Amino acid sequence: MRNIAGRNLIILLITGALAPTAQPQQPFDLVIAGGRVIDPESGLDEVRDIGISGDRIVKIGPGPFTGADTLDARGRIVAPGFIDIHRHAHGDISYRYAARDGVTSAFELEIGAPDVDAWYRMMGPARLINFGVAAGHIGARMQVLGDKSFLLPSGPGRGAASEAQIQEILAMIEKGLAAGAVAVGVGTAYTPGASPQELAAVVGLAARHGAFVHAHLGGGLRRLAAFLRTADQARAAVHVAHINSTAGGDIGEWLRALREARERGLDVTTELYPYTAGSTLIQSALYDGWESWPDERFASLQWAATGERLTRATFARYRAQGGSVISHANTEANLRVSMVDPLPIIASDGGRDMADQPTHPRATGTFARILGRYVRDEKLLTLHDALRRMTIEPARRLERRVPEMRHRGRLREGAFADITVFDPATVNDQSTYTNPAAYSTGITHVVVNGVPIVRGGVLDEKAELQGQQVPMGPRVPGRPIRAPRVSR
Ligand SMILES: [Zn+2]
């Protein structure tokens, strides 16, 4: 009996694998009709119809397909939904901006969460777009060292940890990995007191769990070299956050070092956001030692809440108060070096304030800005290259530990129907440093798990009308994405 049941189960599983949604008699639930379908994984670039049933792509082919619902994509590009692997803005308002920028999955990987289970509980079973989190070293060490600051350490979390405290930090990260964290986040720029031994222990732990380490390093090639050596020794997969801002004027050398590391077999990736200014919390360790800065340096900083440029006096006042600051520290020339290089993934690093409003235009315009300004207007990178770095590359970065990511970031039969349709002639960012709260334009339709959330360039009516609390239901299709959980 048991054997027969087992065999039936196997047959069921095999059938399921071959045809994820077994039935589909047409019409499909949803058809995306007549668009130029580009799939960076397979190289497909043809005018096609896409038939969707439930949450999956069932058929891609020459149309016309018929569906209960149809999105007209004629004259538009149909791409896999964009995957943002570096985003701090995870709220209902933030996700509307992300959706209007073409993002269908968003991950908090650099800071991550000190308590991964609690993060997923807080996010709940459904949001506008898919979401996931890393186990965060920064937050774990803040808890262990008793730093009560918001998000980033500005007290004892910056200092050194004892051997016993390091063990406690590691135990918290390991608990997060067992709870399905998709990666391990570290930010040595924010934790100057973390010793090389502490970092090596974190990297080793991640490697044992098949998790990659998403790292915000401090500047300087020596720090990159040390980090890559640590990764080599642990045979860990690692990811260097926002190389555009961290490398600054050394961008060419940083990219070369990453390429050499990849050639010797290290699984290392990186990312960029398409802006010359960064953003962080003014109270963070990044600005330790500000007292000895020359006066003119403060003017490179802009207070996010008001847009004003800072002086020594206003810097001191806001540092005591705490909040987001925009840092005009990079050049367009450096940024372009990172963009023409095929390696960096596109990721926003977008943040938000306490009211879930964006603090920097990268939170709202990153993806449309690449497609509009840098692909169409300036021809700095090709459309195919840009889409590859927004879809399949971030999916691959995650999929070793998170099997469902093998079915996202692609347009193929059987994949999840996460799809972004945009107008190549009009796609663009609209947000600026003084007004980051502007929706991108030219993103025509966005579909998450088979459900349209942007339709005809505007958020689906129900998504638009949502208040702070998202009502559960079929119109809120985004799901938690996590690694398989380990029971202990
Ligand atoms: Zn970040």
Side-chain angles (χ1 to χ4, degrees):
M1 249 344 257
R2 285 177 74 135
N3 275 343
I4 292 167
R7 194 174 304 143
N8 283 346
L9 181 65
I10 287 163
I11 289 165
L12 237 159
L13 286 172
I14 290 169
T15 325
L18 288 175
T21 31
Q23 67 304 57
Q25 303 300 343
Q26 290 193 7
F28 301 105
D29 293 344
L30 176 67
V31 170
I32 299 176
R36 178 182 162 195
V37 175
I38 298 181
D39 175 47
E41 184 187 42
S42 63
L44 172 71
D45 182 352
E46 298 282 349
V47 172
R48 289 282 184 267
D49 274 17
I50 297 182
I52 295 161
S53 285
D55 60 3
R56 301 284 183 143
I57 295 171
V58 178
K59 197 167 167 60
I60 300 176
F65 294 172
T66 51
D69 188 4
T70 299
L71 297 173
D72 182 0
R74 285 172 300 174
R76 305 288 195 267
I77 287 167
V78 181
F82 308 149
I83 298 170
D84 188 354
I85 59 164
H86 188 160
R87 184 177 180 87
H88 306 294
H90 296 270
D92 295 334
I93 297 170
S94 290
Y95 278 180
R96 286 176 223 168
Y97 288 110
R100 288 285 306 268
D101 201 33
V103 174
T104 56
S105 298
F107 294 89
E108 163 61 87
L109 301 191
E110 172 203 46
I111 297 177
D115 184 337
V116 168
D117 247 333
W119 191 89
Y120 281 109
R121 268 201 310 279
M122 178 268 294
M123 292 296 286
R127 293 274 176 160
L128 192 61
I129 60 176
N130 303 311
F131 50 92
V133 76
H137 173 244
I138 297 175
R141 125 185 263 286
M142 283 171 73
Q143 275 195 21
V144 171
L145 299 184
D147 191 321
K148 304 257 185 282
S149 317
F150 169 70
L151 207 60
L152 293 171
S154 60
R158 288 182 294 190
S162 70
E163 185 50 42
Q165 286 169 326
I166 292 173
Q167 291 310 318
E168 235 181 294
I169 293 165
L170 293 171
M172 281 181 76
I173 295 172
E174 188 151 33
K175 190 170 166 224
L177 287 164
V182 303
V184 170
V186 307
T188 54
Y190 295 113
T191 55
S195 65
Q197 292 72 24
E198 180 179 337
L199 185 64
V202 173
V203 170
L205 176 63
R208 288 197 295 284
H209 285 264
F212 77 92
V213 176
H214 187 289
H216 178 162
L217 305 175
L221 268 168
R222 266 187 319 113
R223 290 211 182 92
L224 174 65
F227 180 64
L228 295 177
R229 267 198 309 278
T230 303
D232 274 330
Q233 279 158 11
R235 298 180 183 280
V238 293
H239 178 88
V240 175
H242 41 56
I243 193 166
N244 56 300
S245 62
T246 304
D250 295 334
I251 182 70
E253 285 89 341
W254 277 60
L255 287 164
R256 197 170 315 126
L258 294 187
R259 197 162 295 112
E260 284 167 11
R262 287 167 67 87
E263 278 161 11
R264 67 173 183 262
L266 185 67
D267 179 4
V268 58
T269 50
T270 188
E271 63 178 48
L272 68 83
Y273 58 80
Y275 296 85
T276 53
S279 175
T280 192
L281 296 177
I282 195 169
Q283 65 271 30
S284 78
L286 256 55
Y287 301 123
D288 286 0
W290 64 274
E291 295 88 344
S292 60
W293 289 1
D295 284 344
E296 59 273 18
R297 183 162 168 195
F298 295 97
S300 71
L301 298 176
Q302 190 176 14
W303 188 237
T306 60
E308 70 187 282
R309 294 293 182 133
L310 298 187
T311 62
R312 180 178 299 279
T314 52
F315 181 93
R317 176 146 45 88
Y318 289 133
R319 181 153 162 112
Q321 175 191 325
S324 290
V325 69
I326 293 168
S327 159
H328 295 270
N330 205 357
T331 65
E332 184 73 19
N334 291 339
L335 175 61
R336 281 162 185 260
V337 173
S338 68
M339 243 180 294
V340 296
D341 191 287
L343 186 59
I345 286 168
I346 310 301
S348 74
D349 195 14
R352 59 167 180 164
D353 66 14
M354 294 296 194
D356 198 17
Q357 290 294 329
T359 50
H360 185 295
R362 66 191 181 188
T364 52
T366 287
F367 293 86
R369 182 176 175 86
I370 292 278
L371 294 171
R373 178 168 179 183
Y374 291 109
V375 171
R376 179 191 59 234
D377 297 345
E378 309 210 5
K379 300 182 173 53
L380 195 63
L381 60 173
T382 67
L383 177 60
H384 278 255
D385 190 45
L387 291 177
R388 176 182 63 81
R389 293 157 69 179
M390 297 173 175
T391 61
I392 186 68
E393 297 299 344
R396 284 186 180 136
R397 176 72 290 184
L398 286 158
E399 69 190 25
R400 188 168 69 159
R401 185 168 155 80
V402 188
E404 79 164 85
M405 292 309 293
R406 292 176 201 147
H407 309 290
R408 299 193 190 273
R410 288 103 165 144
L411 293 181
R412 63 153 187 250
E413 293 168 6
F416 286 102
D418 290 350
I419 301 172
T420 292
V421 180
F422 62 94
D423 182 349
T426 63
V427 65
N428 231 333
D429 63 311
Q430 300 297 326
S431 53
T432 62
Y433 295 113
T434 46
N435 178 28
Y439 288 131
S440 294
T441 48
I443 303 289
T444 313
H445 311 299
V446 178
V447 174
V448 173
N449 295 315
V451 176
I453 59 168
V454 174
R455 186 190 282 267
V458 295
L459 285 162
D460 178 87
E461 192 184 319
K462 294 208 179 64
E464 197 83 76
L465 291 176
Q466 283 158 13
Q468 284 289 93
Q469 297 299 315
V470 179
M472 294 308 160
R475 310 308 294 182
V476 187
R479 298 176 188 159
I481 294 178
R482 50 206 292 187
R485 274 164 270 184
V486 181
S487 50
R488 306 193 310 160

